[in-house]
Amino acid sequence: MFNVILFGPPGSGKGTQAERLTEKYGLIHLSTGNLLRDEISRHTALGMEARLYIDKGQLVPDDVVIRMVGNYFDKHNDAKGFLFDGFPRTVAQARSLSTLMQQKGSSIGVVVELVVSEDELVRRLLNRGKTSGRSDDTNEEVVRKRYSVYQKETTPVAGYYQEQGILETVEGEGSIDRIFEAICQAIQERNG
Ligand code: B4P
């Protein structure tokens, strides 16, 4: 089992690259953002709770996200590997993921961090907001709040994986194809 984490700020292209990577490597795509939006569209209790946070640009509480990820794992026992997109977003989530991996007798092979400037992120997300129907992409204040939450709560996760020696950094600005190639190279170096 080879597991990859795609890491980076909101709008850095995690979702965009994840689609291609899962196809190329036959991994199961675990996007907590997609799972939460699915819960919201089905009007579940979890979705209703999550929406309160997402609409304000805040993170959904760790216990809610971790439970949801655990359930998703249970449904994919035969996976040959996972691509984590947008998870973990806090050090508490990273520690829970380590425990879940140990229980499966597995580990994270590589964490690929996409680096993009704040101005480019805001531009991309507001642009997506014109067509996506995503309420968290239409308001510049909410978009900037997401970035400040990322800096405060999520960037320490990079340090957590740096200490484990599995963090790779990729320039996330430029063509989608070129960024994809750079990510594949980082994965292949670790997956021999
Ligand atoms: P997510 O769904 O994870 O989404 P994201 O961070 O906004 O976007 P992503 O980085 O995937 O960008 P994308 O490829 O789409 O999170 C949404 C919310 O859910 C969070 O704010 C939070 O509230 C909640 N949440 C999710 N996971 C959570 C967790 N683990 N814990 C707590 N809360 C959680 O790209 C963005 C745009 O850029 C697209 O329009 C794309 O076309 C464009 N783009 C991509 N690559 C480009 C390139 N190279 N050049 C130009 N444009 C590009």
Side-chain angles (χ1 to χ4, degrees):
M1 205 180 186
F2 191 78
N3 302 293
V4 178
I5 295 176
L6 210 47
F7 184 81
S12 55
K14 302 183 296 289
T16 304
Q17 298 293 342
E19 277 182 35
R20 295 172 163 221
L21 293 166
T22 45
E23 196 182 330
K24 176 167 170 137
Y25 294 105
L27 302 171
I28 297 286
H29 183 193
L30 195 163
S31 157
T32 41
N34 287 350
L35 291 177
L36 290 167
R37 281 186 288 279
D38 179 57
E39 296 280 345
I40 291 170
S41 70
R42 290 188 290 112
H43 303 284
T44 64
L46 193 157
M48 294 303 97
E49 186 186 351
R51 177 156 210 166
L52 300 174
Y53 296 93
I54 292 175
D55 281 354
K56 287 191 221 142
Q58 295 169 349
L59 293 183
V60 175
D62 286 337
D63 59 325
V64 175
V65 173
I66 291 163
R67 219 176 326 124
M68 190 178 71
V69 169
N71 291 339
Y72 194 81
F73 262 29
D74 292 342
K75 286 191 204 140
H76 294 89
N77 267 326
D78 54 348
K80 75 174 218 195
F82 286 91
L83 180 83
F84 297 99
D85 158 11
F87 177 85
R89 265 177 154 97
T90 62
V91 171
Q93 290 181 16
R95 293 208 177 100
S96 296
L97 180 59
S98 299
T99 307
L100 281 166
M101 286 281 117
Q102 272 163 17
Q103 285 164 356
K104 280 192 169 292
S106 188
S107 61
I108 301 297
V110 63
V111 179
V112 181
E113 178 182 15
L114 294 172
V115 179
V116 179
S117 69
E118 180 178 357
D119 284 349
E120 171 70 4
L121 297 170
V122 172
R123 193 188 62 73
R124 286 184 191 179
L125 291 179
L126 292 177
N127 195 36
R128 181 172 68 184
K130 289 180 196 158
T131 52
S132 68
R134 276 181 57 170
S135 52
D136 58 342
D137 281 347
T138 42
N139 179 324
E140 180 163 346
E141 206 181 309
V142 171
V143 167
R144 290 205 184 264
K145 169 79 183 168
R146 283 158 68 193
Y147 184 70
S148 77
V149 168
Y150 171 81
Q151 285 194 305
K152 187 161 166 266
E153 298 184 44
T154 307
T155 51
V157 175
Y160 177 84
Y161 290 115
Q162 179 119 51
E163 275 172 25
Q164 296 177 21
I166 55 171
L167 185 72
E168 294 280 349
T169 300
V170 165
E171 170 60 58
E173 292 188 40
S175 84
I176 291 172
D177 285 345
R178 194 199 52 75
I179 297 165
F180 179 67
E181 277 168 32
I183 298 172
C184 291
Q185 206 179 334
I187 292 175
Q188 269 140 238
E189 275 166 20
R190 299 278 176 164
N191 195 20

